[in-house]
Amino acid sequence: MAETAFQREYRQAFIHGFEDMDSRLRKTVTTHVEVKGNEAIFLVATSGSATAVTRGVNGLIAARADSLTQNTATLAEWHDLPRKTGFNVFASQGDQKRIMQETSMAVLNRKIDDDIIAQLDTATNDTSTAQKASLDMVVWAKTILGNNFVDMGDVDNLFAVITPAFDGYLMQIKEYAADNYVEIKPFGRSPMKVKRWYGVNWIVHPRLTNSIGAGGTSTSEQCFMFHRSSIGHAVDKERLTSLPGYNEEQDYHYVRTSGFFGSKLLQNAGVVMMKHDGSAYAAS
C-alpha cells in the first residue's frame, strides 16, 4: 500500500506560446475596404514631372495630359480552420474554444503582413550590399525617398519596418535611444509597437524576408523605409470573419477564420529596401 497519494493541479488559464499574433503592417498602407470582385484598382495620379510653360508664339498656352497609373491588387481568399472533437474540448486542459479562436485569428493576421511584405520585397530602390544598421544607412534611405520627391514632412505616413537585429544596432546610437531625440518613446509602462524618430515611424517586425526564412537572423535581411501611399491593400472587411461553430452530427467544435484580401506596390519611388546584415546577433 502506497504511503503517498500526490495530486496534480492543472492551471485552466492557458499561456500563449511565442508566435507572431498581430498584424503590424495593415495600418501602414493605403487600405481599400469596399470591395466587390476579385480586383481592386488603385489610381496614382501625377503631373508626369511636367514643367511650367510660357505662351507660344501663336498666342496659345500648350496643353498637357496628367500621368494616370492604375494599379491592380488581386484579392485571394485565405482561411484557417482549427477543429477539435467534443471529447477533446471536454477532456483537455484550458479553454480549448478560446484557444482555437485566438490562434486562428493570429494565422490570418500573419498572412495579411506576409502579403504586404511580399509587395515591399518587389521594390527596386535599395542601400546596396547588406551591412550592419547605422545612422548613415538610415540617412541614406531617407535621402533616397527625398530625392524621389516623397514629402519628408509627412511624418504620420512615413514608416520603417526593421528586424530585431536592425533595431538592436540602432539602440546603440544615442540619436535613436535617447529620449530627447525620440517623439514617441519605446520604453514605457506598456509595450510600444511604434517608435517615432527622425521623422519616421519605426516598427520592429520578426517576419521580414531574409536568407534563412521568417523569424531568423541572417546576413541578408530586407528592411524597408516607405511612404503609406506606396503600398495598396484591398480587403473585403465584411468577410473578414472569425466564426465559431459546432457540428451536432459528428460532435466537433471548429473556428473558421476567413479573409479576402490582396496587396500591390503602387509607387516604387516611395519604398527603399535597407539591406541589413544581422548575422552577428543570431542565436549561438
Side-chain angles (χ1 to χ4, degrees):
M1 182 176 65
E3 296 182 0
T4 59
F6 295 125
Q7 178 174 296
R8 292 179 176 176
E9 178 71 24
Y10 288 88
R11 184 174 184 267
Q12 290 306 303
F14 66 89
I15 299 170
H16 278 295
F18 295 120
E19 65 176 340
D20 202 14
M21 300 288 290
D22 301 320
S23 170
R24 296 168 172 83
L25 300 184
R26 185 165 45 192
K27 295 183 179 180
T28 70
V29 297
T30 300
T31 303
H32 178 66
V33 297
E34 297 179 4
V35 180
K36 182 65 175 178
N38 73 325
E39 294 182 340
I41 299 176
F42 294 80
L43 175 64
V44 177
T46 72
S47 69
S49 301
T51 58
V53 299
T54 188
R55 192 177 296 274
V57 294
N58 59 359
L60 301 178
I61 300 171
R64 66 167 182 83
D66 283 322
S67 173
L68 305 177
T69 304
Q70 294 176 298
N71 301 273
T72 301
T74 302
L75 283 74
E77 57 174 321
W78 300 100
H79 307 278
D80 183 61
L81 182 62
R83 183 167 56 201
K84 300 178 182 181
T85 67
F87 179 76
N88 284 343
V89 170
F90 163 75
S92 297
Q93 180 182 3
D95 187 340
Q96 295 296 313
K97 296 179 186 178
R98 181 183 169 193
I99 290 172
M100 284 193 294
Q101 278 195 294
E102 294 191 8
T103 59
S104 189
M105 197 64 230
V107 171
L108 260 289
N109 282 335
R110 288 196 294 273
K111 184 58 187 178
I112 289 170
D113 276 16
D114 289 347
D115 195 61
I116 295 171
I117 290 169
Q119 290 302 307
L120 287 169
D121 285 341
T122 66
T124 59
N125 300 309
D126 62 55
T127 55
S128 190
T129 57
Q131 56 187 290
K132 295 176 181 178
S134 65
L135 184 58
D136 181 66
M137 181 189 287
V138 172
V139 174
W140 186 1
K142 195 171 181 182
T143 300
I144 293 173
L145 292 182
N147 287 339
N148 288 342
F149 305 105
V150 175
D151 182 2
M152 293 294 95
D154 192 9
V155 296
D156 288 335
N157 293 309
L158 288 172
F159 297 92
V161 184
I162 58 177
T163 61
F166 196 114
D167 181 65
Y169 280 111
L170 291 189
M171 283 303 299
Q172 299 172 59
I173 301 172
K174 68 177 182 179
E175 290 86 355
Y176 183 80
D179 282 355
N180 55 323
Y181 290 98
V182 179
E183 184 177 342
I184 299 179
K185 309 297 189 295
F187 302 121
R189 293 186 178 180
S190 62
M192 301 286 290
K193 294 187 177 180
V194 177
K195 172 180 179 176
R196 181 173 292 175
W197 168 68
Y198 190 41
V200 178
N201 300 286
W202 295 79
I203 299 171
V204 179
H205 203 302
R207 296 185 58 78
L208 295 176
T209 303
N210 65 70
S211 59
I212 63 172
T217 298
S218 78
T219 58
S220 179
E221 300 176 349
Q222 297 182 181
C223 304
F224 299 92
M225 188 180 293
F226 64 98
H227 189 282
R228 184 191 302 276
S229 297
S230 300
I231 301 289
H233 178 71
V235 58
D236 189 335
K237 191 174 182 180
E238 291 185 359
R239 290 172 176 78
L240 186 61
T241 55
S242 184
L243 301 175
Y246 174 70
N247 183 290
E248 292 185 356
E249 180 182 10
Q250 296 295 326
D251 184 27
Y252 62 78
H253 298 267
Y254 65 90
V255 174
R256 180 182 59 80
T257 304
S258 300
F260 304 163
F261 52 83
S263 305
K264 182 66 176 178
L265 175 67
L266 304 180
Q267 301 189 76
N268 183 68
V271 182
V272 177
M273 181 186 297
M274 298 181 289
K275 295 184 176 181
H276 185 242
D277 180 357
S279 57
Y281 285 163
S284 59

